[in-house]
Amino acid sequence: MEAARLLALKKGIKPSVREIGIYYRGFVDNMRLNGKIHDASVAGITQLLTGQLIASLPLAWKLFVRGRVKLPPLPLGGGGYRRMYNRALAREREAR
Amino acid sequence: MKYGYYPGCSLEGISTEYDESMRALFAQLEVTIEDLPDWICCGTLAAPSISHLLGLATPLWNVARAQQTGYDQLIAPCSACLYHFKRAAKQVAEDPALRAEVEAVLELPLDAAPPTIHPLELLSADGFEARIRQSIQRDLSGLKVVCYYGCHISRPASVMQFDDPENPQSMDRLLDWVGVQTLDWPRKVDCCGAHFSMIKPDIVIDLCRRLFESALEAGADAIVVACPMCHANLDTRQEAIAANMGQPLNMPVLYFSQVLGCALGLPDEKLGFKRHIVDPVPLMLKKCNQRMKVEV
């Protein structure tokens, strides 16, 4: 699996299931904001972009009233991660 | 032993009750843990999908900080986080040039990185048996459960190096110590569908349906888990799974830390039972010995 993923990255092959690409991109973008993931934001954005948001609202509400969905944090914690992200991608570009 | 604690993102969100019960259990067993300072997300499968180097550096950011802080071991209750820590640590340990690359990205050394372990690995070790048995406050011998380990606690074996990869026993052993009846079933290490819950929920519903059918066939009152993603899928999707099965379903899904905590006498507010979609309190009240009722 790891080898297949590395080959796909090297060849620039995008996920054939559109939703997977949307989820991964939203996940990493959220990390770049906060360093950590705010799971409700990632879920909300993924479901909005894949047309599932309305269907998921009743469950989201049940989780919210049980304290399992928190309000999003201020996007202040991602500075260190963003610098690391840029370094990693720059090194890979240099190596190509 | 100095233990660092890496809660991971899920335990600060959808799996708050896992975090609450884990911390309460450690306190009850007098295991001192310290939150890893400045921790970040492990990156799960998303960071490696952007870049190989980023997919290694993201989990190892946390390991490098654990080394810097001087922990002997880093405890990660989320089995997905644990897998990504161990996967990355193994790859850089086997390839010095790759380690140098990752250290340059992290701007931190990785020469004495502490191992990352799951709480099951710590607590199921022989040293804890007497301590746990002596601390029992409630009789849970009427409770029948199946232990569900999911994909990553013991697999891939070459990376995780813990428990039997196909028939893990650590959670069963822990629950046996507190008198819970753990039943044999064939789906201990099946997949729950993980984050496909957000992408293709139909796949998750189908996979979880098989788990519930098997648990019911085994005669279980509840499924016990050690992974936040497995819990989220099994607890929050039960209405849709029941519709898929064509029969009512109301099976509580508990974290092992909640069951152990309950047996050791911890009160409900420290175990987070009220946060579940499928309320486990009626079952726990019914199965607890009357003179040792769950306080709710």
Side-chain angles (χ1 to χ4, degrees):
Chain A
M1 194 66 189
E2 184 86 2
R5 190 177 46 72
L6 284 174
L7 278 173
L9 264 179
K10 210 173 237 181
K11 292 186 173 182
I13 299 170
K14 303 280 180 224
S16 60
V17 179
R18 179 181 154 266
E19 291 89 340
I20 292 177
I22 290 172
Y23 173 68
Y24 284 169
R25 189 70 250 175
F27 198 102
V28 173
D29 286 348
N30 199 259
M31 284 183 71
R32 295 177 70 201
L33 279 180
N34 304 313
K36 300 172 186 177
I37 288 301
H38 178 252
D39 47 13
S41 299
V42 176
I45 289 166
T46 304
Q47 286 167 348
L48 177 69
L49 296 176
T50 57
Q52 299 178 76
L53 185 64
I54 302 293
S56 66
L57 287 179
L59 177 59
W61 175 249
K62 283 185 192 172
L63 292 168
F64 180 74
V65 296
R66 286 166 174 80
R68 289 169 70 179
V69 170
K70 309 274 167 41
L71 294 172
L74 291 171
L76 302 173
Y81 186 72
R82 283 196 296 276
R83 286 190 288 279
M84 184 178 77
Y85 177 99
N86 292 336
R87 282 196 297 272
L89 268 61
R91 288 187 84 87
E92 281 192 340
R93 271 195 303 272
E94 274 168 31
R96 268 186 226 130
Chain B
M1 197 67 114
K2 194 176 175 191
Y3 296 113
Y5 182 71
Y6 175 85
C9 306
S10 298
L11 275 75
E12 290 201 337
I14 197 162
S15 305
T16 301
E17 69 277 22
Y18 190 18
D19 189 49
E20 290 167 337
S21 57
M22 205 67 253
R23 289 177 189 275
L25 181 63
F26 280 139
Q28 185 78 358
L29 293 171
E30 295 173 349
V31 176
T32 307
I33 54 165
E34 202 176 277
D35 278 30
L36 178 68
D38 299 327
W39 63 267
I40 61 165
C41 173
C42 72
T44 183
L45 289 168
S49 77
I50 304 285
S51 132
H52 179 49
L53 202 48
L54 186 68
L56 294 170
T58 305
L60 291 172
W61 160 299
N62 298 298
V63 176
R65 271 158 185 75
Q67 174 183 325
Q68 206 176 26
T69 316
Y71 298 135
D72 298 305
Q73 289 183 326
L74 185 62
I75 299 171
C78 170
S79 55
C81 298
L82 181 73
Y83 164 69
H84 288 289
F85 285 154
K86 288 195 165 190
R87 170 188 62 83
K90 184 173 189 291
Q91 284 186 34
V92 297
E94 289 171 353
D95 185 342
L98 185 60
R99 191 183 104 188
E101 279 276 289
V102 174
E103 286 177 333
V105 170
L106 292 172
E107 297 181 336
L108 282 171
L110 282 166
D111 53 328
T116 313
I117 60 164
H118 193 277
L120 279 179
E121 189 171 348
L122 175 69
L123 297 176
S124 65
D126 290 339
F128 276 93
E129 182 175 357
R131 208 189 301 184
I132 289 173
R133 285 186 190 276
Q134 284 160 12
S135 308
I136 296 172
Q137 298 288 319
R138 295 192 182 108
D139 178 8
L140 292 179
S141 59
L143 183 64
K144 293 179 193 166
V145 304
V146 286
C147 293
Y148 176 51
Y149 295 77
C151 297
H152 280 322
I153 287 176
S154 58
R155 293 181 306 168
S158 62
V159 174
M160 303 313 281
Q161 299 189 345
F162 169 59
D163 215 333
D164 183 320
E166 297 301 330
N167 184 20
Q169 295 294 330
S170 51
M171 199 187 330
D172 294 71
R173 195 161 58 240
L174 264 175
L175 299 186
D176 285 343
W177 291 347
V178 296
V180 173
Q181 296 180 57
T182 55
L183 308 169
D184 279 336
W185 74 317
R187 298 203 183 269
K188 276 184 168 183
V189 292
D190 279 16
C191 182
C192 69
H195 60 276
F196 265 58
S197 196
M198 289 187 218
I199 304 165
K200 297 274 182 194
D202 289 353
I203 293 175
V204 170
I205 288 163
D206 191 46
L207 290 169
C208 290
R209 175 185 55 78
R210 296 177 206 186
L211 293 169
F212 280 112
E213 282 172 349
S214 192
L216 287 167
E217 201 176 317
D221 300 315
I223 298 179
V224 183
V225 300
C227 167
M229 189 57 84
C230 299
H231 186 273
N233 285 340
L234 292 168
D235 180 48
T236 67
R237 299 276 174 192
Q238 261 189 60
E239 212 176 297
I241 296 163
N244 187 278
M245 286 167 77
Q247 67 177 76
L249 183 63
N250 191 36
M251 183 177 279
V253 183
L254 297 152
Y255 287 105
F256 77 96
S257 47
Q258 293 177 306
V259 180
L260 278 180
C262 183
L264 303 193
L266 292 171
D268 177 59
E269 63 268 17
K270 289 194 173 176
L271 299 176
F273 286 151
K274 66 174 185 211
R275 299 191 189 279
H276 290 228
I277 299 289
V278 178
D279 184 1
V281 171
L283 173 72
M284 300 310 274
L285 281 171
K286 194 172 146 194
K287 297 293 176 178
C288 258
N289 184 313
Q290 288 304 304
R291 66 193 165 78
M292 297 179 182
K293 267 191 173 177
V294 184
E295 292 141 28
V296 288

